[in-house]
Amino acid sequence: MDQDSHCPAERELVEAVRGITTFSTTSPSDEEQHQPQAESLCQVRKESPEKVELQDSNASLSPNSSMTTKELQEYWRNEKRQCRQIKLLFEIPSTRIVEHHLSKYVMYKIIILQTGSFDSNKSVIERRYSDFEKLHRKLLEEFSEEMEDVTFPKKTLTGNFTEEIITERKLAFMDYLRLLYSMKYIRRSKKFIDFLTRPELREAYGCLRGGQYSRALEILLEVIGLQERLTRGNPVSIVPTLCAIVVCHKDLENPSGAFEYGEKALSCLRAHTSHRYYIPLLETMITLAYELGKDFLSLQEKLEEWKVRKDPVRVFTLKELAVREYLQ
């Protein structure tokens, strides 16, 4: 049969299989990826497409060869999305003065927008001067060369709460964040990502441990979108947040919502079956699938395959893992 007569779905499936082979060679135990795989793959394809074709043809399809057509197509779409750089804009439209019994400080409202997106893709956080100062100090320790020409607003002995100083710092912090994000190694660093997400995540996990699942879920759903955009190409890093969302939905008796985010987490762990969340997540997904009348046998098979390959060890439940996050 002429190749041009293949249907679009078949052609896309062939492309998907080729795209997967590169990721199949990744070590399952590699939890942290300092260089995003998708971006590296895109660069290699641009520079030497014939080399990639040879690599793809020789690579093994295991363990992804058992994926369905739909899963293969979705996998390839996700890879293509990762090849496109996500650009973020930082705006500080307003501030507020916070007064406690023994302290007084300014909170800066930071809006993080994805370029070319609608308002639904924005994230809103608040940080004070000391938070920026702490970030700057940490970045200087790790990226002294990159930070050499980066200026930081200095402290003043008086006038910190005047409109003039607050406006000056607001503009300075906005330029500061934009400059940091423009530097590849800094925007990918854990220190920069933690600055933008860790306070909210700590609050969310605190609510989760206290049984305030609705409030925890509200915060987690706000954070996950920003995490996804900041860690594009390293999906494993957002697995704990996705699993915490699963736990919240499950305890709020919303199995369909829990299953939806569980599928996202499993997709992130497809090539990382040694990840600490993998088995607890699989066990939870089997329970949810059975409850929802979905296919749980394929999930059960994956669990049994893992047990055959690994020595039996004590595994925490998904909820036990979640409540242990951000304790320090």
Side-chain angles (χ1 to χ4, degrees):
M1 181 182 294
D2 188 356
Q3 287 185 342
D4 292 336
S5 62
H6 285 298
C7 69
E10 290 175 337
R11 289 198 298 272
E12 190 170 2
L13 176 57
V14 172
E15 290 181 346
V17 172
R18 288 181 176 176
I20 288 170
T21 55
T22 303
F23 287 86
S24 300
T25 59
T26 304
S27 172
S29 62
D30 184 18
E31 266 185 45
E32 296 183 357
Q33 305 170 17
H34 296 290
Q35 297 297 330
Q37 296 177 353
E39 186 171 307
S40 300
L41 178 61
C42 290
Q43 186 64 30
V44 173
R45 287 179 190 268
K46 289 178 182 178
E47 296 176 355
S48 181
E50 66 280 357
K51 182 178 179 181
V52 174
E53 289 297 329
L54 179 59
Q55 179 182 352
D56 288 349
S57 64
N58 292 332
S60 169
L61 290 178
S62 180
N64 298 305
S65 56
S66 61
M67 294 167 63
T68 65
T69 301
K70 182 179 179 181
E71 288 174 332
L72 288 169
Q73 292 172 344
E74 180 61 26
Y75 197 99
W76 179 238
R77 280 193 289 269
N78 287 337
E79 182 187 341
K80 288 191 289 186
R81 290 191 199 106
Q82 290 174 355
C83 290
R84 294 194 298 267
Q85 181 184 352
I86 300 298
K87 294 184 179 180
L88 301 180
L89 299 176
F90 296 86
E91 303 289 343
I92 303 180
S94 62
T95 61
R96 63 186 179 94
I97 297 176
V98 178
E99 293 190 61
H100 291 303
H101 295 296
L102 300 175
S103 65
K104 182 179 179 180
Y105 53 87
V106 178
M107 293 294 289
Y108 297 85
K109 181 180 180 180
I110 306 169
I111 296 180
I112 306 164
L113 292 165
Q114 181 175 320
T115 55
S117 67
F118 297 103
D119 288 342
S120 60
N121 287 326
K122 72 179 180 182
S123 299
V124 181
I125 59 176
E126 283 189 317
R127 297 293 182 267
R128 54 189 291 188
Y129 181 93
S130 60
D131 296 324
F132 281 97
E133 188 178 40
K134 190 180 300 182
L135 169 67
H136 190 70
R137 188 167 58 250
K138 289 180 178 179
L139 292 177
L140 282 173
E141 293 173 358
E142 186 174 352
F143 304 101
S144 57
E145 186 175 341
E146 291 86 346
M147 297 289 292
E148 187 176 0
D149 297 323
V150 178
T151 58
F152 187 82
K154 295 181 179 180
K155 283 184 176 180
T156 57
L157 296 176
T158 59
N160 285 309
F161 302 102
T162 63
E163 184 177 348
E164 181 182 359
I165 292 295
I166 291 175
T167 300
E168 181 181 311
R169 284 184 175 174
K170 182 174 69 173
L171 295 173
F173 282 141
M174 191 161 58
D175 290 338
Y176 178 75
L177 289 174
R178 290 173 177 173
L179 180 57
L180 293 183
Y181 185 77
S182 70
M183 292 184 277
K184 180 175 65 174
Y185 293 107
I186 289 181
R187 71 168 174 262
R188 291 177 181 172
S189 70
K190 186 176 184 300
K191 292 178 174 62
F192 182 68
I193 294 172
D194 278 352
F195 169 78
L196 296 172
T197 61
R198 189 175 179 86
E200 286 72 25
L201 287 172
R202 287 181 66 89
E203 180 184 356
Y205 279 99
C207 291
L208 191 155
R209 284 188 288 272
Q212 302 175 42
Y213 301 114
S214 295
R215 177 55 182 160
L217 181 61
E218 180 183 348
I219 301 171
L220 290 168
L221 290 176
E222 290 178 356
V223 174
I224 190 62
L226 177 57
Q227 270 191 308
E228 288 174 332
R229 296 194 291 275
L230 288 169
T231 60
R232 181 73 61 156
N234 183 17
V236 177
S237 62
I238 66 171
V239 166
T241 305
L242 290 171
C243 288
I245 293 174
V246 172
V247 170
C248 289
H249 273 305
K250 193 170 183 295
D251 281 309
L252 290 170
E253 299 183 355
N254 180 12
S256 60
F259 192 84
E260 176 188 350
Y261 281 91
E263 284 188 314
K264 292 181 180 180
L266 276 181
S267 176
C268 294
L269 295 177
R270 197 182 305 281
H272 301 272
T273 56
S274 293
H275 194 281
R276 68 188 188 281
Y277 271 90
Y278 182 70
I279 293 305
L281 178 59
L282 260 185
E283 292 174 337
T284 300
M285 290 294 285
I286 290 170
T287 302
L288 290 169
Y290 182 80
E291 183 179 349
L292 293 168
K294 295 180 179 289
D295 172 33
F296 65 89
L297 294 178
S298 59
L299 295 170
Q300 187 70 47
E301 288 175 1
K302 290 180 181 179
L303 180 61
E304 295 303 325
E305 288 173 4
W306 187 91
K307 288 180 177 179
V308 169
R309 295 198 310 268
K310 304 289 184 179
D311 293 330
V313 292
R314 183 181 183 276
V315 178
F316 292 110
T317 66
L318 198 66
K319 189 172 183 178
E320 286 173 338
L321 280 178
V323 298
R324 282 169 169 75
E325 295 284 346
Y326 291 91
L327 282 175
Q328 297 181 350

